[in-house]
Amino acid sequence: MSESALPAQLAAELADIAAAGLTRRRRVLDSPADRIARVDGKAMLNFASNDYLGLAGNADIARALADGALQWGAGSGASHLVSGHLTPHERLETEIAAFTGFERALTFSTGYLANLAVTPTLAGRGAAVFADKLNHASLIDAMQLAKANGADVQRYPHNDVAALERLLAASTAARKLIVTDAVFSMDGDLAPLPLMFALAERYDAWLVIDDAHGFGVLGPHGAGSLAHFNLPASPRILLMGTLGKAAGVGGAFVAGSATAIEYLLQKGRSYIFTTAAPPAIACALSKSLHIMRSGDALRANLMARIAQLRDGLAGKPLLPSATAIQPYIVGDNEAAVALSKALWERSLWVPAIRPPTVPKGTARLRISVSAAHTAADIDQLLSALKELA
Ligand SMILES: *Cc1c(COP(=O)(O)O)cnc(C)c1O
């Protein structure tokens, strides 16, 4: 085969994607990723981001980032275990541990890497992983790596605690891990964490929780889904949270017992074999954590906007979600895309989510509500949806 045939093979696959109407395009923002984002010269009201507290464009956090870069330089220079672990990283770990109530925390450049550090590191040969069918792609990839390491992996129907219990009861694995999103990223619903924690206790399993969409949003001080359910910082729990969503910056953490965190530090390949995030990111995150912890007014506004949206769409096909993720089910792929496009033409940015990201026949608008939204913003979206539906 000639060398030039290689790109042609890819081009054929890309043509298939295009023919199925599934080509994805990036929009270029010509402004910060704020409540109003400028795209192609047009001011768009942004219901598309995970910036739930409106902190992505926060000037104090940006200043902490800039000051951090001036004090600590642009880069960390190496991975954490070699020479890239600076004072701002160390301080951030301590702050996250205190905030979440766990003994210790480890930070990562992204949530994807954080998830890859947990399940495959804890679960290899002789272990069993029990995962929700609707878990985030990064948890699924982590599960596949565990499988490649020899773990037995099983998926249970979404939030089906009875099915999970049957699998746990039938398992003879020496080590068991239950792995779940706390807030499901495309449905916005919560995992029944108290019941799952009880199962983890009964069957002596680890409980691995991905709180990407709960951290900063739910619970007292925004400490997340565990705090929301008043669950303890048990040594059998590993809590992952992302720092690029409500925290508005980027990165992630895993919090847990001192021993579990030390284990991940020694053995987690996606922790060890990657350059530490720039120290200025940690400076920005320390500032962001401070704002989040004292951000009850932001969360109150967020909850008021969510309630306003749900009231306004009563009787419409909105999934039952109490979080910032409000899925409006359309069903048909093309119809979802057409509705998103019609909203776009009204300067409302609401993404359409299609299979395979969501199950077939459940294409939807994924409306992300933010503390930065005003009551008038929500009204604007409500009247556009009424007019178009
Ligand atoms: C966004 C997300 C991640 C990945 O986090 P990044 O920091 O964006 O890599 C992991 N899990 C869930 C549930 C997410 O929504």
Side-chain angles (χ1 to χ4, degrees), residues 20 85 185 218-219 223 264-265 325 337 348 353:
H85 190 65
S185 47
L218 300 175
L264 298 183
L265 185 155
I325 301 165
V337 171
L348 295 162
I353 311 283

Side-chain angles (χ1 to χ4, degrees), residues 76-85 89 107-110 112-114 116-117 265 268-278:
S76 64
S79 63
H80 284 279
L81 288 175
V82 174
S83 65
H85 190 65
H89 296 120
T107 61
F108 294 79
S109 314
T110 74
Y112 191 98
L113 288 176
L116 291 190
L265 185 155
R269 293 174 65 84
S270 66
Y271 184 74
I272 298 168
F273 297 107
T274 189
T275 301

Side-chain angles (χ1 to χ4, degrees), residues 173-242:
R175 185 182 290 171
K176 304 182 184 75
L177 270 78
I178 302 168
V179 180
T180 187
D181 280 25
V183 175
F184 286 84
S185 47
M186 293 302 145
D187 287 25
D189 58 335
L190 283 156
L193 293 179
L195 295 172
M196 298 177 79
F197 180 62
L199 286 182
E201 297 251 87
R202 188 169 318 145
Y203 294 94
D204 196 23
W206 290 89
L207 181 57
V208 177
I209 298 171
D210 177 336
D211 204 19
H213 302 280
F215 184 67
V217 172
L218 300 175
H221 310 293
S225 300
L226 282 176
H228 168 81
F229 285 117
N230 206 13
L231 284 167
S234 157
R236 68 172 67 257
I237 294 178
L238 281 165
L239 175 70
M240 177 276 198
T242 57

Side-chain angles (χ1 to χ4, degrees), residues 27 42-45 47 328 330 333-352 364-365 380-389:
R27 303 275 191 189
K42 208 169 130 182
M44 302 297 302
L45 190 47
F47 292 99
Y328 184 97
V330 180
N333 291 357
E334 264 97 88
V337 171
L339 183 53
S340 173
K341 188 159 175 284
L343 291 169
W344 179 268
E345 279 152 14
R346 286 163 174 74
S347 301
L348 295 162
W349 190 354
V350 188
R364 65 196 65 184
L365 297 178
Q380 202 180 321
L381 176 59
L382 287 172
S383 46
L385 279 173
K386 261 167 212 157
E387 188 189 318
L388 294 165

